[in-house]
Amino acid sequence: MSPYYGMYVVLGLVFKVLEIAIKVLKLNLVAKSLEAQFGNFIIGLNDNRPKETAPKDSVSKTEIEHLAKMVEFWWDTKGPVKMLHTFYQVRVPLVVEGLAETGRISKADISKQDALKGVRILEAGCGGGVLAEDLARLGAYVVGVDPGKEMIDLAKSHLETKSSELKNLIEYHDITVEEHAKQFAGTYDAIVCSEVMEHVDEKESVLAACCRCLKPGGSLFVTTENQTMLAWFFFIIIPEYFLNFIPKGTHFYEKFVSPRAISQIASKYGCKTRSVRGFFYDRMFNSWNFIDNDDCNYGLHAVKE
């Protein structure tokens, strides 16, 4: 771990104390009152953009248009979203080890190059296809769905021109997971919903559709940011306001969600949480690690009963 992790630990303790003080003194109510009168004065807190909905389901048209601006640098491994290209360091083991725990794949096969051979995976909110390709390289058959046509076009183009060896293992559709679930309920061994929850308003709608798509005994994997001050600082303030890596307004604290909330929703639709694993992103080395703390970023694994 680098000195950046030391800063992470210290700030984590500071923000925990602040969160307790805010709760005890009810400062959150004061902030809401002030914002109602004077507008959104705490940066990265609330999403005050228009709430017009997309033609269907859970994603706002405003969100789709905002994310479409990132198409030009999505596959730049040294660009503003370079963290996505090293995210496999925790996202892939989360899936592989989770499927081994359920018995869908053999624990003896975890380290094999084709560890996911024969596993059918749906990636809900696949964006430009980074994770879909990571999973397909291990032999999985991946179906990627995303309501952003620009992102799906990008994913298809990259697959065709840069990763043609995976063409028989991946398919992409510009559709919401809710629409997909109407035709493909009970179809998949695993659903991956990675870095999606923080961009949607109707979280239950997305998770319910994901659960419907799973076979009995299938695994749901969700990665996202926790709703904490630590996550607000490391995933909004630093990248969007200090470093200007990604466009301002990409993330909002109010859209972050705790693992407990995800677990409760998944449980309503027959998926019981097996594990929650904390992630740490080291900006100094552009690397990811598992840690025993889910205060910032985490991966949740639930299994359909």
Side-chain angles (χ1 to χ4, degrees), residues 57 120 122 143-145 171 173 175-185 187-188 191 209 213:
D57 304 318
R120 189 173 178 85
L122 171 67
V143 177
V145 299
E171 60 181 88
H173 305 279
I175 189 174
T176 64
V177 67
E178 292 95 330
E179 281 293 308
H180 188 76
K182 293 176 182 177
Q183 188 175 354
F184 295 97
T187 300
Y188 296 94
I191 313 290
C213 286

Side-chain angles (χ1 to χ4, degrees), residues 5-299:
Y5 182 68
M7 181 178 72
Y8 173 90
V9 172
V10 171
L11 286 177
L13 294 173
V14 171
F15 284 135
K16 274 188 176 297
V17 172
L18 285 175
E19 286 174 336
I20 292 172
I22 288 170
K23 185 176 181 179
V24 171
L25 299 175
K26 298 184 178 180
L27 296 180
N28 59 320
L29 300 179
V30 174
K32 286 182 180 180
S33 178
L34 290 173
E35 287 206 340
Q37 186 171 356
F38 301 109
N40 192 12
F41 65 93
I42 302 177
I43 56 177
L45 188 64
N46 297 316
D47 183 0
N48 291 326
R49 297 173 299 178
K51 296 294 186 182
E52 71 271 20
T53 57
K56 47 200 171 185
D57 304 318
S58 58
V59 188
S60 75
K61 181 180 178 182
T62 304
E63 190 75 39
I64 293 174
E65 291 174 348
H66 180 85
L67 293 174
K69 298 174 184 176
M70 301 185 190
V71 164
E72 61 185 83
F73 52 76
W74 198 263
W75 275 99
D76 182 352
T77 58
K78 296 183 179 179
V81 294
K82 62 183 181 180
M83 63 193 302
L84 284 180
H85 298 278
T86 55
F87 210 174
Y88 71 87
Q89 294 168 343
V90 289
R91 291 200 291 188
V92 171
L94 178 75
V95 174
V96 173
E97 292 170 15
L99 290 175
E101 287 297 322
T102 66
R104 178 57 186 83
I105 65 173
S106 170
K107 290 184 179 181
D109 292 339
I110 286 180
S111 60
K112 291 184 178 180
Q113 292 186 339
D114 61 350
L116 296 178
K117 185 177 181 179
V119 178
R120 189 173 178 85
I121 298 176
L122 171 67
E123 188 183 0
C126 64
V130 175
L131 179 57
E133 290 195 10
D134 287 338
L135 296 170
R137 290 189 191 284
L138 290 178
Y141 188 88
V142 184
V143 177
V145 299
D146 196 290
K149 186 178 185 303
E150 293 85 355
M151 280 294 181
I152 289 295
D153 288 345
L154 173 65
K156 289 179 177 179
S157 174
H158 191 273
L159 180 63
E160 184 73 28
T161 61
K162 303 294 183 181
S163 302
S164 58
E165 72 278 10
L166 301 176
K167 285 168 59 176
N168 293 330
L169 291 173
I170 302 176
E171 60 181 88
Y172 292 115
H173 305 279
D174 58 327
I175 189 174
T176 64
V177 67
E178 292 95 330
E179 281 293 308
H180 188 76
K182 293 176 182 177
Q183 188 175 354
F184 295 97
T187 300
Y188 296 94
D189 299 302
I191 313 290
V192 179
C193 187
S194 184
E195 306 310 294
V196 172
M197 289 292 100
E198 67 272 22
H199 296 294
V200 299
D201 295 314
E202 301 299 328
K203 293 172 174 46
E204 183 164 348
S205 175
V206 173
L207 290 171
C210 287
C211 294
R212 282 198 297 274
C213 286
L214 280 174
K215 298 175 181 177
S219 291
L220 170 67
F221 299 97
V222 178
T223 78
T224 189
E225 285 71 51
N226 204 340
Q227 194 175 57
T228 63
M229 291 182 69
L230 188 66
W232 167 78
F233 184 77
F234 277 97
F235 282 90
I236 298 177
I237 301 305
I238 289 181
E240 297 183 25
Y241 292 89
F242 283 178
L243 301 178
N244 293 309
F245 276 171
I246 56 177
K248 292 179 176 65
T250 299
H251 299 104
F252 294 94
Y253 172 86
E254 73 168 352
K255 287 189 173 182
F256 288 175
V257 57
S258 70
R260 180 180 179 184
I262 295 292
S263 182
Q264 288 176 336
I265 295 172
S267 179
K268 286 178 61 177
Y269 298 94
C271 288
K272 185 176 180 179
T273 298
R274 287 283 187 91
S275 67
V276 177
R277 305 176 71 179
F279 301 152
F280 170 69
Y281 175 62
D282 191 329
R283 293 189 185 277
M284 292 184 68
F285 297 102
N286 186 32
S287 65
W288 291 84
N289 292 282
F290 288 108
I291 58 173
D292 295 326
N293 182 317
D294 59 20
D295 283 350
C296 198
N297 200 252
Y298 64 90

